[in-house]
């Protein structure tokens, strides 16, 4: 029989390795475009694999560039390849498209610039580069009449960027929220199932999801770069990366998931940006990245493992959700190959008309604040007083039984308040003598319908 | 303050009605393209509204065509409009793009053909037309060097078609599953919350989600047309619409949700198509539309109200989920305006290289079969015998207490078996004298990881 109980595994073995795809159209009569991959790691290798498997007409992989390229050679490539350690030489050869997968600002940025200046199109997964220099690089591409695609820079294989640029172009988006870092999502969903942070991080490192130094991921810096890219595409706003407050998931512990659960929530690293106004009435972007309490009814709560998820809110279309594999060689390579096909098809990058905008993390939201104290009478009164002096109302007070008074965790939730006011209150409260750890402050992601 | 507790409602009132959008780029120096809307109902009116609000450069709404057009006139259009009852006259005028929103095969199909033959691009939401004649109409558009876009034909405002054609073009998809009919999803999710079918349908009709004659929706025919369109784009397969078995949601009752719940499932109308082989080893599409048992852990179970959701499974990218508002004037209009912007930008419809393929509903799946009987000894033995004679194993037998023996509902689940074998068994079992209703047979949607 052609089918069995586990269709996907059987399909994988039964179907021909080259499945028909409706989208791999033959190129126009022109010769195939010569493609060079710069950076032959996990994603680069997957891109080469897909190009060899699917053999899309109009594209020809000709060069692979990497340091110490000898140790990168593979024997499964079905086309003749020039292996090189010399980026400049390959850039000045007859290639048509540069696939930049080395990452980082330098030297990758210089390769991209050199390629575009020579009129060669570029496909990149480099979020750092695009977040920092995307506007300028797009101008360069336009001026040289070539293309710069970066669908793989955000949310890996999930077509969020093409979705925004093509399918939601007719809407007017005012908010974008997402789980943009698969490493954090893996760690937090492991913790949700009972793991402690250190063990979840160690497992992520073992599985190759987290770097030896995980700061970029757990500190929110990777997600912040992706958020800046999405803000430009969805909100037309060019915002200063460093203006977005980034919170770390490191202080989250098992007790926070227990308390979150009592509030019908879980915890996810959320990146959000929305249009708003500053005190002077000027349009600005309210943006923030960090661990947040997410209602169990929110799609974000369903996202597990290394998944990414993006929710775009438009004036006309309401909420649109995209989710899938946000990381990993193959899914990211799908985005790269899709962009290569767009170049081969003669598609033009939609010109993004964006404007510089201020950015502020001062959102009006409910917060979850977890304290760990050496218990004594009067603590709650002191905390309540500190909050009241900033005009902040307490919503709920949660204290689970079974903890020693020597190290007592409890939680206060506060009604919607400005982040700045809460920070002033917490700075005062932080001086209370019996605090064993600094208070942990998490925003609560409100569902659309909540007016609290 | 610019913000309050309910950010979205406040934003709607505070933000300027024309939000900046990064994707409404000014057209090249060329004159704006003249747009005519054919069919000024809910979607047509929303398209006009968005065009007036956003004023995208490169597009100019000039004509509105409808029968009895006088009763359609509105006073909020900000541009001079020719109102017409004469499609032929408008088609032969100087318009550049036809927005076809009349629906149905005729006369809408003739208008689309006339427009394309004259080299005018067409944007349509007409699923019936595209499902039946999409291949031929695309060829016509290509031969006249104009564009045919139909992003609004499937899943309303959710960018599934652009997502597949742009962002997942680099993958090789072998399965597509979806909740493609908002009316059925509204009715079934109401029933999940305790409503009976008739009441849920009445409410859907009252809210304008269901037609007076709901057969197209509840019978699965609307979803089937959308599935055929998606199968062509995702699987490169041209399949005969009528070859896809369509099951109705009408026989579903409250008791089925109760039993589904015991199996950790709920019930949704699911459309699915996947690549497989026929008995002769020839590639074919296994496709089916109808109510199915869906595990609570599946994203489909989270879909409520009139939402649509599509899950695409690719060889490299795995599962990608799209969800959002699949119906309604504004969301559908977003897809139409996005397509208009694509035409204005000079984007070319990706040429779909598809092939005719056989279609079969004979999937190897677990099934839920609900019986309603006048109780007497020996019934289960007779049912088990009928199943055994076709080589089908029983998985579980569920009988909730509290029902009269005069009208006793119970459920049998069967292990994965061919649909055809089960149909033979049910045809024999259907002759058992004490059955009060024909058995209700629902497929069980297996999660990816289940090997059962």
């Amino acid at each position: 029989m052609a089918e069995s109980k586990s269709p996907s595994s059987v399909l994988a073995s039964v179907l021909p390795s080259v499945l028909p795809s409706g989208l791999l159209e033959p190129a126009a009569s022109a010769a195939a475009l010569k493609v060079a991959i710069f950076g032959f790691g996990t994603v680069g290798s997957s891109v080469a694999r897909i190009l060899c498997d699917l053999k899309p007409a109009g594209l020809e992989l000709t060069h692979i560039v990497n340091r110490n390229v000898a140790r990168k050679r593979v024997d499964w490539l079905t086309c003749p390849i020039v292996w090189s350690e010399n980026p400049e030489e390959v850039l000045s050869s007859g290639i048509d498209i540069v696939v930049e997968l080395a990452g980082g600002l330098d030297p990758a940025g210089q390769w991209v610039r050199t390629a575009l200046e020579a009129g060669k199109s570029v496909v990149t997964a480099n979020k750092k580069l695009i977040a920092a220099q995307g506007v300028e690089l797009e101008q360069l591409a336009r001026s040289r009449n070539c293309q710069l695609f970066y669908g793989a820079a955000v949310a890996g294989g999930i077509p969020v960027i093409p979705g925004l640029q093509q399918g939601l172009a007719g809407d007017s988006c005012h908010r974008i929220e997402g789980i943009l870092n698969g490493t954090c999502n893996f760690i937090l969903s492991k913790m949700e199932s009972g793991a402690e942070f250190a063990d979840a991080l160690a497992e992520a490192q073992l599985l190759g999801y987290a770097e030896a130094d995980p700061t970029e991921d757990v500190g929110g810096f990777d997600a912040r770069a992706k958020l800046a890219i999405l803000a430009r595409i969805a909100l037309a706003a060019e915002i200063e990366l460093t203006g977005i407050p980034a919170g770390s998931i490191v202080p989250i512990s098992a007790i926070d998931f227990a308390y979150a659960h009592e509030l019908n929530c879980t915890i996810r690293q959320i990146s959000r940006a929305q249009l708003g106004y500053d005190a002077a009435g000027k349009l600005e972007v309210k943006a923030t990245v960090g661990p947040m309490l997410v209602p169990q009814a929110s799609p974000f709560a369903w996202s597990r493992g290394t998944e990414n998820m993006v929710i775009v809110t438009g004036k006309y279309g309401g909420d649109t959700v995209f989710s899938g594999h946000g990381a990993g060689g193959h899914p990211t390579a799908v985005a790269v190959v899709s962009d290569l096909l767009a170049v081969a098809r003669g598609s033009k990058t939609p010109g993004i008309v964006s404007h510089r905008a201020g950015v502020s993390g001062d959102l009006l939201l409910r917060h979850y604040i977890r304290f760990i104290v050496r218990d004594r009478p009067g603590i709650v009164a002191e905390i309540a007083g500190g909050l009241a002096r900033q005009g902040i109302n307490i919503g709920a007070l949660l204290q689970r039984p079974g903890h020693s008074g020597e190290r007592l965790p409890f939680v206060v939730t506060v009604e919607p308040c400005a982040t700045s006011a809460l920070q002033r209150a917490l700075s005062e409260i932080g001086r209370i003598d019996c605090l064993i750890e600094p208070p942990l402050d998490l925003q609560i992601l409100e569902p659309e319908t909540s007016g609290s």
Side-chain angles (χ1 to χ4, degrees), chain A:
Chain A
M1 297 297 296
E3 277 198 280
S4 93
K5 298 166 189 178
S6 172
S8 68
S9 62
V10 174
L11 269 173
S13 63
V14 179
L15 288 176
S17 76
V18 182
L19 290 170
S21 166
L23 302 157
L24 305 174
E25 62 181 316
S29 51
L33 298 172
K34 293 187 170 58
V35 176
I37 295 176
F38 285 63
F40 201 64
T42 316
V43 177
S45 162
S46 290
V47 169
R49 173 74 74 181
I50 298 179
L51 291 175
C52 287
D53 281 2
L54 300 185
K55 298 180 183 55
L59 294 168
E60 183 188 358
L61 178 60
T62 57
H63 292 72
I64 291 173
V65 184
N66 208 93
R67 271 181 299 180
N68 304 323
V69 77
R71 74 189 157 88
K72 291 285 184 179
R73 277 175 190 271
V74 294
D75 58 7
W76 45 259
L77 289 167
T78 53
C79 44
I81 293 286
V82 177
W83 296 84
S84 170
E85 300 185 352
N86 190 332
E88 290 72 24
E89 200 174 272
V90 174
L91 283 166
S92 61
S93 72
I95 58 163
D96 301 295
I97 310 178
V98 167
V99 176
E100 187 279 297
L101 300 172
L105 294 182
D106 198 54
Q110 196 46 53
W111 300 339
V112 168
R113 210 171 302 268
T114 305
L116 295 174
E117 274 166 0
K120 298 178 198 299
S121 290
V122 172
V123 171
T124 178
N126 191 330
K127 57 199 166 273
K128 260 196 187 160
L129 179 65
I130 298 300
Q133 302 168 24
V135 177
E136 175 201 338
L137 292 171
E138 278 182 7
Q139 277 167 353
L140 176 58
R142 207 159 28 240
S143 75
R144 296 302 193 278
N145 203 25
C146 57
Q147 306 304 318
L148 171 65
F149 282 97
Y150 46 85
V154 177
I158 314 170
V160 175
I161 291 181
L164 283 166
Q165 292 190 323
Q166 311 284 335
L168 296 176
D171 206 345
S172 177
C173 300
H174 55 82
R175 182 171 57 224
I176 189 153
E177 297 172 327
I179 291 176
L180 300 179
N181 182 275
T183 310
C184 286
N185 211 52
F186 177 86
I187 293 172
L188 292 174
S189 54
K190 278 278 159 189
M191 291 179 73
E192 186 177 20
S193 310
E196 275 293 345
F197 176 83
D199 298 329
L201 172 61
E203 187 178 351
Q205 285 167 326
L206 196 69
L207 292 168
Y209 300 151
E211 307 282 333
D213 174 0
T215 313
E216 274 288 306
D217 292 322
V218 299
F221 307 109
D222 169 87
R224 190 166 77 168
K226 294 168 177 169
L227 184 64
I229 295 172
L230 288 181
R232 181 154 168 264
I233 297 171
L235 309 178
E238 299 164 25
I239 55 180
E240 197 61 56
L241 197 61
T242 51
I244 306 174
S248 171
I249 66 164
V250 175
I252 306 290
S253 72
I255 187 71
D256 297 308
F257 279 94
Y259 279 122
H261 198 75
E262 286 192 24
L263 295 162
N264 286 320
C265 289
T266 186
I267 301 171
R268 293 287 183 268
Q269 188 211 44
I270 301 290
S271 305
R272 73 185 323 212
Q274 65 185 48
L275 293 174
Y277 291 96
D278 66 12
K282 209 172 151 217
L283 206 63
E284 71 171 1
V285 174
K286 309 260 186 196
T288 176
V289 173
M292 291 189 200
L293 253 68
V294 171
Q296 291 286 3
S298 159
F300 288 132
W302 314 328
S303 182
R304 296 273 149 77
T306 58
E307 270 184 25
N308 278 198
M309 181 180 278
V310 174
I311 306 182
V312 182
T313 307
K315 183 177 173 187
Y316 304 100
D319 284 1
T320 303
V321 183
F322 302 79
S323 79
H325 296 279
H330 274 12
T332 308
V334 164
V336 170
V337 175
S338 297
D339 281 351
L340 283 171
L341 288 166
V343 176
R345 198 163 55 224
S347 292
K348 296 200 167 28
T349 332
I352 304 176
V353 182
S354 55
H355 305 279
R356 278 181 192 280
V359 57
S360 152
D362 209 359
L363 288 140
L364 204 71
L365 286 172
R366 289 166 67 215
H367 286 249
Y368 160 107
I369 311 159
R370 184 257 294 155
F371 300 90
I372 297 184
V373 299
R374 185 170 310 109
D375 202 17
R376 62 157 170 76
I379 296 175
V380 170
E382 288 169 50
I383 289 171
L387 293 168
R389 277 185 286 280
Q390 298 296 334
I392 297 168
N393 288 326
I394 290 181
L397 180 67
L398 305 176
Q399 184 178 324
R400 289 167 67 92
H403 289 279
S404 140
E406 287 303 296
R407 191 181 166 80
L408 183 71
F410 68 94
V411 163
V412 169
T413 68
V414 300
E415 293 298 303
C417 64
T419 315
S420 51
L422 183 61
Q423 279 165 353
R424 284 192 298 273
L426 288 179
S427 145
E428 183 192 331
I429 291 166
R431 288 193 293 270
I432 296 177
D433 60 349
C434 58
L435 290 184
I436 293 177
E437 287 183 12
L440 171 71
D441 164 25
L442 303 180
Q443 298 178 349
I444 303 178
L445 189 77
E446 300 288 344
E448 276 290 280
T449 47
S450 154
S452 52

